[in-house]
Amino acid sequence: EVQVVVSGGGLVQPGGSLRLSCAASGFTFSNHWMYWVRQAPGKGLVWVARINTDGSYISYPDSVKGRFTISRDNAKNTLWLQMNSLRAEDTALYYCVRDSVRVLDFWGQGTLVTVSS
Amino acid sequence: DIVLTQTPLSSPVTLGQPASISCRSSQSLVHSDGNTYLSWLQQRPGQPPRLLIYKISNRFSGVPDRFSGSGAGTDFTLKISRVEAEDVGVYYCVQATELWTFGQGTKLEIK
């Protein structure tokens, strides 16, 4: 069974940092691009980071570029999102999502990140 | 950036009746490889999104056949032939032809 389990969310002050982890199982992790997608409370979906199969290609939208860093360890079947200089507008539920050739086919439960003083 | 516009934003439907959601793209979603990477997601209350349809009309594993997708180019439609109570939630179209963008979501509710 395909599973992606996210952890690491919580309450952080503006300007602070947080690291999210995504543990993948039930599939060959190294064969898939992976994404982080977030959803602000009551709002829609926005991708915030993506990484190719071996980590050699990474991209971010302008909203998080320079502040967020995505990485992966295929030996550990784990994906991370390091979030620095957090802002109130980063408050959201963060999902780890598997990409199967331009199809976001498996979504984890998500972890809530709250940026507030 | 490609913009996806969904209509309606809210759809009250009677149980057992059909429902239809439209998704219009600001530019063609036909990729240079010939595929059209338009998917539909369902998000039930309190749940993560779930893939329903990919590449316009392909149902994902385990998705009931009352869900169908159609369209081409810039105009796409998700149809539910007979709405059931478990279909309540928000539906998103999402394109992956050029980066990724999501529609704003359509809330399906029961009348």
Side-chain angles (χ1 to χ4, degrees):
Chain A
E1 180 192 3
V2 172
Q3 283 196 322
V4 286
V5 178
V6 183
S7 59
L11 175 64
V12 61
Q13 291 189 339
S17 298
L18 214 52
R19 190 189 199 202
L20 306 183
S21 298
C22 170
S25 60
F27 65 99
T28 305
F29 182 68
S30 58
N31 285 352
H32 292 265
W33 287 52
M34 296 296 295
Y35 278 72
W36 288 98
V37 177
R38 72 183 179 187
Q39 185 172 35
K43 301 296 185 182
L45 301 164
V46 179
W47 75 276
V48 295
R50 64 178 185 167
I51 188 168
N52 71 344
T53 55
D54 64 2
S56 60
Y57 175 83
I58 288 170
S59 69
Y60 311 92
D62 289 344
S63 57
V64 306
K65 197 175 294 183
R67 300 188 299 121
F68 288 14
T69 302
I70 188 173
S71 60
R72 67 189 296 162
D73 184 331
N74 288 340
K76 296 180 178 179
N77 291 340
T78 303
L79 178 76
W80 294 280
L81 184 67
Q82 177 67 43
M83 303 185 293
N84 299 329
S85 304
L86 283 162
R87 307 166 180 166
E89 54 265 34
D90 296 319
T91 293
L93 199 55
Y94 283 74
Y95 295 105
C96 168
V97 190
R98 186 180 84 166
D99 177 1
S100 292
V101 191
R102 298 178 183 267
V103 178
L104 295 179
D105 62 353
F106 280 99
W107 296 64
Q109 282 296 325
T111 189
L112 182 62
V113 172
T114 303
V115 184
S116 174
S117 55
Chain B
D1 291 3
I2 293 177
V3 176
L4 298 180
T5 303
Q6 291 183 227
T7 54
L9 297 182
S10 178
S11 180
V13 182
T14 302
L15 286 174
Q17 293 300 302
S20 180
I21 300 170
S22 171
C23 177
R24 177 163 289 180
S25 174
S26 59
Q27 62 191 73
S28 174
L29 297 184
V30 180
H31 192 270
S32 56
D33 66 7
N35 289 303
T36 301
Y37 294 104
L38 188 284
S39 299
W40 290 94
L41 308 174
Q42 175 196 59
Q43 188 173 31
R44 292 170 172 154
Q47 294 295 314
R50 162 200 179 200
L51 177 66
L52 293 178
I53 303 284
Y54 62 97
K55 288 196 285 186
I56 303 177
S57 60
N58 296 275
R59 266 190 306 276
F60 190 56
S61 174
V63 175
D65 60 8
R66 64 178 182 275
F67 290 93
S68 64
S70 62
T74 60
D75 289 291
F76 305 92
T77 302
L78 174 71
K79 291 183 179 177
I80 309 173
S81 59
R82 296 172 305 279
V83 171
E84 297 188 5
E86 65 179 19
D87 299 335
V88 165
V90 180
Y91 291 78
Y92 296 92
C93 58
V94 49
Q95 69 82 22
T97 294
E98 182 183 288
L99 288 179
W100 286 84
T101 49
F102 297 85
Q104 68 271 59
T106 295
K107 188 173 184 178
L108 185 76
E109 51 196 3
I110 305 300
K111 278 183 186 174

